[in-house]
Amino acid sequence: MQDEPEVVVLRLGHRPGRDERTTTHVGLTARALGADRLFLAGPGASRQDTIEDITDRFGGPFEVETTDSPTKVIRDWNGRVAHLTMYGLPVQDVEAEIREAHREKPLLVVVGAEKVPFEVYEHADWNVGVTNQPHSEIAGLAVFLDRLFEGRELDREWEDADSVVVPKETGKRVESVEE
Amino acid sequence: MQDEPEVVVLRLGHRPGRDERTTTHVGLTARALGADRLFLAGPGASRQDTIEDITDRFGGPFEVETTDSPTKVIRDWNGRVAHLTMYGLPVQDVEAEIREAHREKPLLVVVGAEKVPFEVYEHADWNVGVTNQPHSEIAGLAVFLDRLFEGRELDREWEDADSVVVPKETGKRVESVEE
């Protein structure tokens, strides 16, 4: 988020056909919950337009990039790396340390779909489990970001939006933003 | 969770073909993050086996039911209803009230996919936005449950598991549970 070291999400291992919706959800969750940028690896690049379209309509800043060398992105990352995996250390045990580290340096959050190469586990500064149960990389990312930012992401301001949702007790209200 | 009024997730509006993975993720997220039961509406019933298979392997209790009348489930619900929607009131503003209400009565958490009937907005005690941005019902459910339970769900005990993941700093460790 603005005025903090950046948080970038790297989506690994998209399987064409099977993961279209989930990769879109990973990207939109990253944007909505305070990440600054998203890397889509390999065939996941197909989701770039869908995610950028939401940023065009509802605001940013939020950047989407694609890469054919996700492990290079990890190796070359100038900051710390957290890899979300059900095999990792409990988020509640490591989140304070990650939060502290993020005050000083950018954080790369790696989120897999299919089997993640062992190299990713080795390069990560933290392998983090949002529970040690099988569930959803989207859910894991959401809880991780909400805890990393301690809820500040929910009050984030959006720039250059065409549309704004106005919270309502019942029903829907979307307003156009006049320039 | 055990020793608390139950929390049940109702998944609405599954579109065959398009939502197979996301409905599975909704179900597994409900299970992993402390819900007691899941209702799958209409064609979403196709995901029941996948979710129950995870409960068989990694433990419960967690029940999956199917329904052809999701609005009847909402109308007949003996407790409070929270509907997650990007058009609703900010979660950070209503979560304390919902938490308080859940100490006394069961809570039904309604999660949509496609367009949700207006009746659901009307019947809900709370329409809740986990941000007012378009992202993911899976992410919204995850953040909502983590806040509802204030992180207690991460320490939940599992019964009758065949397999247990042992948290590791690097790599994977899954142990079989001997009866």
Side-chain angles (χ1 to χ4, degrees):
Chain A
M1 288 190 294
Q2 295 98 324
D3 309 320
E4 302 186 9
E6 71 173 351
V7 173
V8 178
V9 173
L10 168 60
R11 165 62 159 181
L12 286 183
H14 172 100
R15 296 156 295 186
R18 189 176 161 99
D19 290 327
E20 305 308 325
R21 300 283 304 156
T22 51
T23 294
T24 303
H25 282 223
V26 165
L28 296 181
T29 297
R31 173 186 169 277
L33 296 181
D36 300 283
R37 269 200 294 153
L38 171 72
F39 277 109
L40 294 170
S46 64
R47 313 315 298 162
Q48 182 171 11
D49 289 352
T50 306
I51 300 163
E52 288 181 335
D53 177 56
I54 295 291
T55 302
D56 287 345
R57 286 162 57 199
F58 292 94
F62 185 71
E63 303 299 324
V64 185
E65 293 170 53
T66 63
T67 175
D68 287 325
S69 308
T71 51
K72 190 169 185 309
V73 170
I74 297 172
R75 279 197 309 270
D76 294 351
W77 180 250
N78 188 12
R80 299 303 193 85
V81 177
H83 169 223
L84 305 186
T85 163
M86 65 178 276
Y87 302 103
L89 299 179
V91 62
Q92 63 272 36
D93 294 351
V94 293
E95 63 181 88
E97 188 185 326
I98 298 175
R99 212 179 286 126
E100 182 72 25
H102 172 243
R103 288 199 187 95
E104 307 296 328
K105 284 185 177 180
L107 181 66
L108 183 68
V109 184
V110 183
V111 178
E114 62 180 345
K115 203 160 175 289
V116 171
F118 191 66
E119 190 184 351
V120 174
Y121 289 83
E122 287 181 313
H123 269 288
D125 294 289
W126 303 275
N127 290 287
V128 183
V130 175
T131 80
N132 293 104
Q133 297 293 320
H135 56 106
S136 165
E137 65 272 26
I138 303 160
L141 178 63
V143 169
F144 180 83
L145 291 175
D146 189 38
R147 286 172 171 252
L148 175 69
F149 294 123
E150 296 181 293
R152 290 193 311 283
E153 82 285 359
L154 300 178
D155 298 313
R156 183 189 163 162
E157 302 275 333
W158 298 92
E159 298 169 10
D160 299 323
D162 290 338
S163 299
V164 172
V165 172
V166 180
K168 269 183 77 97
E169 215 172 291
T170 310
K172 304 179 185 182
R173 183 165 163 199
V174 184
E175 293 187 349
S176 292
V177 177
E178 304 292 328
E179 297 289 327
Chain B
M1 289 191 293
Q2 295 98 327
D3 308 322
E4 303 186 8
E6 70 174 352
V7 174
V8 178
V9 173
L10 168 60
R11 165 61 159 180
L12 286 184
H14 173 101
R15 295 157 295 186
R18 189 176 161 98
D19 290 327
E20 305 307 325
R21 301 282 303 155
T22 50
T23 294
T24 303
H25 282 223
V26 165
L28 295 180
T29 297
R31 172 187 170 277
L33 297 181
D36 301 282
R37 267 197 298 152
L38 170 72
F39 278 109
L40 294 170
S46 63
R47 314 313 299 160
Q48 182 171 12
D49 289 354
T50 306
I51 300 163
E52 287 180 336
D53 177 58
I54 294 290
T55 302
D56 288 344
R57 289 160 59 198
F58 292 94
F62 185 71
E63 303 299 325
V64 185
E65 293 171 52
T66 63
T67 176
D68 287 325
S69 308
T71 51
K72 189 169 185 312
V73 171
I74 296 172
R75 279 196 308 269
D76 294 351
W77 181 249
N78 188 11
R80 299 304 191 88
V81 178
H83 167 224
L84 305 187
T85 163
M86 65 179 276
Y87 302 103
L89 299 179
V91 63
Q92 64 272 36
D93 294 350
V94 293
E95 63 181 269
E97 186 184 327
I98 299 175
R99 213 181 284 124
E100 182 72 25
H102 172 243
R103 289 200 185 94
E104 308 297 328
K105 285 186 175 179
L107 181 67
L108 183 67
V109 183
V110 183
V111 178
E114 60 179 347
K115 202 160 176 290
V116 170
F118 190 66
E119 190 184 351
V120 174
Y121 289 84
E122 287 181 313
H123 269 289
D125 294 290
W126 301 276
N127 290 288
V128 183
V130 176
T131 80
N132 293 103
Q133 296 292 319
H135 56 107
S136 165
E137 64 273 25
I138 304 159
L141 178 64
V143 169
F144 180 83
L145 292 174
D146 189 39
R147 287 173 170 251
L148 175 70
F149 295 123
E150 296 181 292
R152 291 194 309 282
E153 81 286 357
L154 300 178
D155 298 314
R156 181 187 166 164
E157 303 275 332
W158 297 92
E159 297 170 10
D160 300 323
D162 291 338
S163 300
V164 172
V165 173
V166 181
K168 270 183 77 99
E169 214 171 292
T170 310
K172 304 179 184 183
R173 184 167 163 199
V174 184
E175 292 186 348
S176 291
V177 178
E178 304 292 329
E179 296 290 324

